[in-house]
Amino acid sequence: MAKKNIHQEEIVFAKKQLVLLATLKGKVSELILKWEGNIGAETPDYHLLMNQLESIEKQIFSKIGAWKKTSLL
């Protein structure tokens, strides 16, 4: 039973992290739009940052799925 509670706490923490990642992705999108609007040229590798944030997001979703499966056992 204690293991299930630990997984629940981890899931809650991970979901909070996902909210923060979504905020970061929104900020990076703003940077891209502002750069393109003001400079009119390709952004300085902001797309790489966005790719990294999306990769982290996928990893967190994967962890949440694993924790949910483990807590069901």
Side-chain angles (χ1 to χ4, degrees):
M1 192 69 148
K3 195 176 223 179
K4 184 174 183 177
N5 288 338
I6 290 172
H7 289 302
Q8 286 300 94
E9 291 173 15
E10 291 170 338
I11 290 169
V12 168
F13 178 78
K15 287 182 177 181
K16 288 178 183 177
Q17 296 298 300
L18 288 170
V19 170
L20 293 173
L21 279 173
T23 301
L24 282 173
K25 286 172 57 179
K27 295 292 183 184
V28 172
S29 291
E30 282 180 42
L31 287 171
I32 291 169
L33 290 174
K34 286 179 182 179
W35 184 276
E36 291 173 347
N38 292 325
I39 306 296
E42 189 173 320
T43 61
D45 293 336
Y46 289 144
H47 65 282
L48 296 176
L49 180 56
M50 187 65 84
N51 290 342
Q52 287 294 318
L53 292 172
E54 289 172 355
S55 174
I56 293 167
E57 187 177 52
K58 288 178 186 175
Q59 291 174 27
I60 292 174
F61 276 119
S62 176
K63 289 280 187 189
I64 290 172
W67 291 329
K68 284 184 177 180
K69 286 181 185 176
T70 303
S71 66
L72 293 175
L73 298 177

